[in-house]
Amino acid sequence: MSIIKVLMADTFSISFFLLFAAVLSFILLFKSSKKKCSRYKFPPGPKPWPLIGNFNILNMSFPQRTMYKLAEQYGPVFTFHMARKKYIVLTGYDAVKEALVTQADDFGERGLTPSTKHNFDGKGIVFGVGESWKTMRRFTLSTLRDFGMGRSTIEDRIIDEAQQTLDVFAQYKGRPFNPTTHVNSAVSNIICVLVFGHRFQYDDQQFLRLQQLVSDSIRRSGSPMVQLYNAFPLKIFLMGDIQRVRANIKEVRSYYRKVYQQYKAEHDRNDVRSFIDRFIIRQNEEHNNPNTYFDEENMERCVSNLFAAGTETTSTTLRWGLLFMMKYPHIQEKVQAEIENVVGRERPPRADDRKRMPYTDAVVHEIQRFGDIVPNNLLHETKVDTTFRGYHIPKGTPVIPLLSSVLYDKTQWQTPHKFNPGHFLDAEGRFVKRDAFMPFSAGQRKCLGETLAKMELFLFFTSFLQRFTFQPPPGVQPQDLDLSPCPGVTSSPTPYELCAISH
């Protein structure tokens, strides 16, 4: 079997030998030019091998684990070579906050890999850069707020969606089922109301297909084959996961273009109900502006970003939450007792209940911390030449602010590697905020949907536990439940089944 066939057959078990051999086979395609610039001073780090850099020591399924170990040896700021490119890795709360908050302007650009550059071209919100990103972020944040993000109007939508999801859970009558699709659909419908102006039925095949494409792309985007391509962007590596992600994105955008054209044809300026409607208005207003950023490409990428981000991270957090409740039934009981005491059973929980439910609030926060949904963060890049902790780093240097190292920082958390709601409670049981709680990142690139996500997490989680007790399938003990994450850009739980028992 050839090297390439082995790589395709099992990308998650790529060995250094195969990687090294693949690189060597294309060595003649690289120019052997090494540029040295004495005016820059990079942090220390592991010595790179020729051509491959530090790939020989990288855990390609879980890169953050490699970074943890290197931080112990080289400190919270170090250099890691992806092939011949130098990356700055930031670990721990102090270093990440200093870069993303204190020096936000210097570290606020989005880093683009060859794959994200091809797929998004610097447009949209998540992978947007420069003035295009600034314009799209301002417009998107303003539009979502106008349509109720963080307000009672969207709260009512979340409560209604939660009740419909509970009815679906009840149909299983206590039998085991995988909650993934149901939770994804419920969460996704909230962002769909904002973006499209309507929700989808849970059995809508187009809706389910969009979710599938997003989930598959996020999982594949963190695969070893994609990492290999990003380090060595050669056509020979355009296979497997790379091709699948591109095909997924093409299909998603084709759907969004059709929706966009339909909305444009039916557009009524006096009946604005969605993000797309508002985008069309702005596009018409800037029709004669040759430098406008309100073009169809930005529309597609913004809608794609909102649908993916508004579905994946929140639904993944909720699935971790249900798994943790099965794993730690004594914690589930305490949450349910607080719900019973504060809310009762006659009405659904509301956002205002949070301030009277410190334990539940602490549990939701601990789910986000311990679940570690985006462990490696999204790539940043230095916007200008900058000095950081005595190192002089050039403009355009990719930066990895490792969120996982903040959420598990042993200087910030009493028991970082244990699920412990006490991290967010004082001695009297009152909820306390923690500066090192950064699941949404920080600084200029902080998640713009944080307010919505927090409301969704609290309302869905409390609604679920108000009506059901979640237990493992028959024959499975709580202590036997697997908390191992799946590889990918986001850290999702290994697929599991649960039993929703009415109470």
Side-chain angles (χ1 to χ4, degrees):
M1 180 181 290
S2 70
I3 289 173
I4 298 303
K5 288 183 178 179
V6 172
L7 287 172
M8 292 182 64
D10 190 5
T11 59
F12 283 99
S13 61
I14 295 178
S15 66
F16 167 59
F17 172 78
L18 293 177
L19 176 60
F20 188 61
V23 174
L24 285 181
S25 66
F26 303 106
I27 188 172
L28 294 178
L29 297 177
F30 290 91
K31 296 180 180 179
S32 58
S33 59
K34 291 187 176 181
K35 297 181 180 179
K36 295 184 179 180
C37 190
S38 58
R39 66 193 182 99
Y40 295 123
K41 180 184 177 184
F42 280 80
K47 186 176 180 179
W49 284 39
L51 296 176
I52 66 168
N54 298 127
F55 261 108
N56 59 308
I57 60 173
L58 181 64
N59 182 332
M60 298 181 75
S61 294
F62 300 100
Q64 67 272 23
R65 296 178 183 176
T66 300
M67 305 308 172
Y68 291 153
K69 294 179 181 178
L70 292 175
E72 294 175 359
Q73 182 177 355
Y74 297 101
V77 182
F78 60 89
T79 301
F80 191 88
H81 290 75
M82 301 284 192
R84 297 187 300 166
K85 196 171 187 66
K86 293 180 178 180
Y87 283 62
I88 301 298
V89 182
L90 307 174
T91 63
Y93 167 68
D94 290 334
V96 171
K97 180 186 178 184
E98 186 176 343
L100 300 190
V101 179
T102 307
Q103 294 185 223
D105 289 337
D106 296 350
F107 289 87
E109 190 60 278
R110 171 66 70 223
L112 297 179
T113 63
S115 59
T116 55
K117 187 174 183 179
H118 176 275
N119 292 331
F120 297 95
D121 196 28
K123 293 193 173 187
I125 308 164
V126 176
F127 296 106
V129 298
E131 288 302 317
S132 176
W133 167 72
K134 290 180 181 179
T135 302
M136 289 301 106
R137 182 179 173 88
R138 284 195 300 267
F139 170 78
T140 301
L141 193 55
S142 172
T143 300
L144 295 184
R145 285 172 176 168
D146 287 346
F147 284 118
M149 185 175 76
R151 300 176 184 174
S152 59
T153 50
I154 202 66
E155 178 185 7
D156 292 337
R157 291 278 191 175
I158 297 169
I159 292 171
D160 290 344
E161 200 68 46
Q163 298 306 308
Q164 296 201 48
T165 309
L166 292 172
D167 292 341
V168 173
F169 286 2
Q171 293 175 6
Y172 288 93
K173 299 180 179 179
R175 298 187 301 271
F177 67 95
N178 185 327
T180 299
T181 300
H182 306 314
V183 174
N184 281 358
S185 296
V187 172
S188 187
N189 261 334
I190 304 305
I191 195 65
C192 285
V193 167
L194 295 172
V195 173
F196 302 113
H198 65 83
R199 67 182 296 278
F200 290 86
Q201 296 298 319
Y202 291 157
D203 60 354
D204 186 295
Q205 292 305 304
Q206 181 64 68
F207 184 43
L208 295 173
R209 178 61 177 166
L210 289 173
Q211 293 179 47
Q212 179 188 8
L213 292 169
V214 167
S215 179
D216 186 62
S217 295
I218 289 175
R219 178 180 63 82
R220 291 177 185 271
S221 292
S223 73
M225 181 58 77
V226 173
Q227 294 177 61
L228 187 63
Y229 172 75
N230 286 334
F232 310 103
L234 303 171
K235 290 184 178 180
I236 192 66
F237 292 131
L238 288 173
M239 60 181 72
D241 291 329
I242 295 286
Q243 287 184 327
R244 188 68 261 166
V245 171
R246 290 186 175 185
N248 289 349
I249 291 174
K250 183 177 180 181
E251 183 177 342
V252 166
R253 287 182 182 160
S254 175
Y255 172 75
Y256 293 148
R257 278 195 300 273
K258 291 178 183 177
V259 172
Y260 171 71
Q261 294 301 330
Q262 178 185 343
Y263 277 48
K264 203 169 183 179
E266 301 172 355
H267 180 63
D268 180 354
R269 190 181 178 88
N270 298 315
D271 185 21
V272 180
R273 294 175 291 178
S274 68
F275 174 88
I276 297 178
D277 288 330
R278 185 67 63 81
F279 195 99
I280 292 171
I281 290 176
R282 189 66 176 272
Q283 189 179 41
N284 290 338
E285 291 174 347
E286 299 197 11
H287 178 69
N288 294 322
N289 179 4
N291 299 316
T292 182
Y293 295 109
F294 289 87
D295 52 35
E296 189 168 332
E297 290 75 19
N298 251 329
M299 187 284 301
E300 291 172 5
R301 285 154 181 76
C302 285
V303 171
S304 177
N305 292 162
L306 288 169
F307 183 88
T311 300
E312 176 67 20
T313 53
T314 302
S315 63
T316 298
T317 304
L318 286 170
R319 288 189 288 123
W320 275 119
L322 295 177
L323 180 58
F324 293 150
M325 293 305 95
M326 291 193 293
K327 183 79 171 181
Y328 309 110
H330 64 288
I331 294 177
Q332 181 174 202
E333 290 173 5
K334 291 185 69 174
V335 171
Q336 290 173 325
E338 189 172 66
I339 294 172
E340 180 75 17
N341 182 53
V342 174
V343 182
R345 301 189 185 186
E346 299 304 316
R347 66 170 178 86
R350 299 200 67 90
D352 283 344
D353 295 321
R354 185 200 302 261
K355 56 182 176 288
R356 294 183 294 142
M357 300 172 66
Y359 187 79
T360 301
D361 200 7
V363 169
V364 172
H365 279 70
E366 184 66 357
I367 290 169
Q368 291 178 268
R369 185 199 72 82
F370 197 66
D372 190 20
I373 309 303
V374 190
N376 299 296
N377 207 337
L378 295 178
L379 193 65
H380 282 237
E381 183 177 287
T382 50
K383 194 180 299 185
V384 294
D385 283 10
T386 185
T387 299
F388 184 76
R389 295 195 170 188
Y391 303 108
H392 194 47
I393 304 166
K395 174 184 177 180
T397 300
V399 178
I400 302 174
L402 203 69
L403 285 187
S404 188
S405 70
V406 179
L407 298 176
Y408 283 78
D409 190 335
K410 62 184 179 182
T411 70
Q412 300 294 317
W413 309 98
Q414 184 179 4
T415 56
H417 297 286
K418 292 184 179 179
F419 186 83
N420 177 11
H423 286 140
F424 297 93
L425 297 169
D426 64 14
E428 284 72 42
R430 293 173 298 202
F431 180 83
V432 291
K433 294 181 179 180
R434 300 293 299 272
D435 292 338
F437 180 70
M438 284 188 187
F440 301 101
S441 192
Q444 296 179 353
R445 291 282 175 168
K446 190 176 184 179
C447 174
L448 62 78
E450 178 180 357
T451 302
L452 176 61
K454 285 181 175 179
M455 182 181 285
E456 287 178 306
L457 288 172
F458 180 78
L459 293 177
F460 276 118
F461 183 73
T462 52
S463 295
F464 291 170
L465 268 66
Q466 181 189 45
R467 184 165 170 184
F468 294 108
T469 294
F470 295 95
Q471 299 176 354
V476 179
Q477 298 301 313
Q479 60 268 24
D480 296 330
L481 292 172
D482 184 12
L483 298 184
S484 301
C486 294
V489 174
T490 58
S491 180
S492 60
T494 301
Y496 64 85
E497 288 192 334
L498 53 71
C499 298
I501 310 300
S502 297
H503 61 82

